[in-house]
Amino acid sequence: MFCPASLAAVLDAAYYHPVVQLLLRWWSDFGRLVLPTQCAGCAAPDESLCAACRGRICRATVRPYRAEAGAGSLPFLSDRPDAAVLPVVAAGRYRHELARVILAFKNHGRTDLAPVLAATLARAVQYAAAQLAPGPCLLVPVPPRPGSRRRRGYDPLELMLRRLQRRRLLPGGAMPLRAAAVRTRPGARLRGLLAGPSQKGLGRSARRRNVSGSLRVRPRFRRALAGRSCILVDDVLTTGATLAELARVIGEAGGRVAGGVVLAAASAPSGNVAAEDQPVAKSGP
């Protein structure tokens, strides 16, 4: 008889099997052939992403920038009093068309948007690698919550990183760490089966508590991380609590966390940081 945590692990493994994922993607592609589609940016009919929205996203992400100033939960790089906060490079700001496209890709099965977002992520990764981790490095994606992965049928970050790897758009020496390397702990997997708080809408302290101790590096991947320079990858930066938790477990496994990369930053600009326990407002429509 399975305990709930074991059952969650079995269901997760079955649902995330490559054959199952391939069938789900085929079914999603078939659905878009027979059902009307609309632009994820402006809802124009018969367009996955219209030329106008595509152009606006390109212009909004042409220059990646450092976004850590407004993320109050990011960790310091060392215990020294003058230590810097973990640097994070964002491709753009989480608003307007970029925010709508990210939400459609993450939460509404719009895997047809992966090429646009992957190209956006590539620019940010190349900038981060050049500035923060020149030379060989591992790209470590934030693992999705178990319930989110089952609901979507795919892992958005892994989908984009694998696409970049196949198309040779990653910087020289950069390689994605396998998505299976970092997983949620059994207690967190159980929470994924039940109704529980997600990060969206929580304040900074609540976000830290929600992810504290939630991740682990699988033992067989610790050797691959030991002594390696690592860049963490997430979709949206708000307070930085999730990146802080991932940095913690990577550091415990022997990896050297050089910084992070995100598709978009929703954090407040420097000098206008929200109060510690105020909920983080969702940027964009």
Side-chain angles (χ1 to χ4, degrees), residues 171-218:
M175 178 179 298
L177 185 67
R178 286 183 56 190
V182 181
R183 279 290 183 255
T184 51
R185 290 187 179 277
R189 297 172 79 89
L190 175 58
R191 290 198 301 270
L193 290 177
L194 306 174
S198 67
Q199 291 290 81
K200 185 165 58 177
L202 297 179
R204 288 190 172 90
S205 293
R207 281 174 178 255
R208 285 197 295 265
R209 290 193 299 270
N210 198 37
V211 299
S212 178
S214 63
L215 301 180
R216 65 185 177 91
V217 175
R218 288 184 170 178

Side-chain angles (χ1 to χ4, degrees), residues 2 5 7 18 21 25 27 40 52 67 78 92 95 102 140 158 162 175 184 205 210 212 220 238 256 261 274 283:
F2 287 115
L7 178 59
Q21 296 305 304
R25 285 195 293 272
W27 179 253
S78 72
R95 58 188 182 187
I102 291 174
V140 185
E158 184 185 22
R162 294 304 176 192
M175 178 179 298
T184 51
S205 293
N210 198 37
S212 178
R220 64 192 179 97
T238 49
R256 293 183 289 105
V261 172
S283 299

Side-chain angles (χ1 to χ4, degrees), residues 20 28 46 60-61 64-65 67 79 99 115 184 187 192 206 212 228-229 267:
V20 175
S28 177
D46 300 325
T61 60
Y65 69 98
D79 295 330
T184 51
S212 178
R228 297 289 298 277
S229 182
S267 52

Side-chain angles (χ1 to χ4, degrees), residues 6 18 20 26 39 47 69 77 86 94 101 109 133-134 146 203 205-206 223 239 242 246 250-251 253 258 262 268:
S6 298
V20 175
W26 283 351
C39 172
E47 293 275 4
L77 290 176
L86 180 77
Y94 187 67
V101 168
S205 293
R223 181 175 296 179
T239 68
T242 305
L246 182 58
I250 295 302
V262 294

Side-chain angles (χ1 to χ4, degrees), residues 21-280:
Q21 296 305 304
L22 180 61
L23 292 174
L24 288 171
R25 285 195 293 272
W26 283 351
W27 179 253
S28 177
D29 292 341
F30 175 74
R32 285 194 294 273
L33 288 174
V34 299
L35 296 175
T37 188
Q38 62 182 19
C39 172
C42 66
D46 300 325
E47 293 275 4
S48 175
L49 188 65
C50 72
C53 288
R54 189 183 297 267
R56 282 191 282 269
I57 289 175
C58 185
R59 290 190 293 273
T61 60
V62 70
R63 292 183 179 175
Y65 69 98
R66 292 280 291 274
E68 66 269 15
S73 294
L74 287 172
F76 292 98
L77 290 176
S78 72
D79 295 330
R80 294 174 51 183
D82 60 345
V85 170
L86 180 77
V88 179
V89 172
R93 298 195 181 278
Y94 187 67
R95 58 188 182 187
H96 308 318
E97 291 84 5
L98 181 59
R100 289 191 285 268
V101 168
I102 291 174
L103 284 174
F105 176 58
K106 283 179 55 179
N107 297 334
H108 301 293
R110 293 291 300 272
T111 54
D112 52 308
L113 300 169
V116 174
L117 291 178
T120 296
L121 182 63
R123 288 190 287 272
V125 169
Q126 290 163 4
Y127 179 91
Q131 298 294 321
L132 308 176
C137 66
L138 288 175
L139 303 175
V140 185
V142 169
R145 289 163 60 93
S148 298
R149 187 164 60 244
R150 285 190 294 272
R151 183 181 69 251
R152 293 178 185 131
Y154 58 95
D155 180 338
L157 291 176
E158 184 185 22
L159 194 64
M160 287 188 291
L161 288 175
R162 294 304 176 192
R163 180 181 181 87
L164 295 183
Q165 186 178 34
R166 288 194 306 270
R167 294 183 174 271
R168 300 182 180 180
L169 295 176
L170 294 176
M175 178 179 298
L177 185 67
R178 286 183 56 190
V182 181
R183 279 290 183 255
T184 51
R185 290 187 179 277
R189 297 172 79 89
L190 175 58
R191 290 198 301 270
L193 290 177
L194 306 174
S198 67
Q199 291 290 81
K200 185 165 58 177
L202 297 179
R204 288 190 172 90
S205 293
R207 281 174 178 255
R208 285 197 295 265
R209 290 193 299 270
N210 198 37
V211 299
S212 178
S214 63
L215 301 180
R216 65 185 177 91
V217 175
R218 288 184 170 178
R220 64 192 179 97
F221 290 98
R222 287 179 174 268
R223 181 175 296 179
L225 283 164
R228 297 289 298 277
S229 182
C230 299
I231 294 178
L232 313 182
V233 184
D234 203 357
D235 47 21
V236 179
L237 175 69
T238 49
T239 68
T242 305
L243 285 179
E245 171 65 8
L246 182 58
R248 180 187 67 81
V249 298
I250 295 302
E252 289 179 353
R256 293 183 289 105
V257 179
V261 172
V262 294
L263 277 170
S267 52
S270 179
N272 188 30
V273 180
E276 172 68 16
D277 288 305
Q278 290 298 311
V280 178

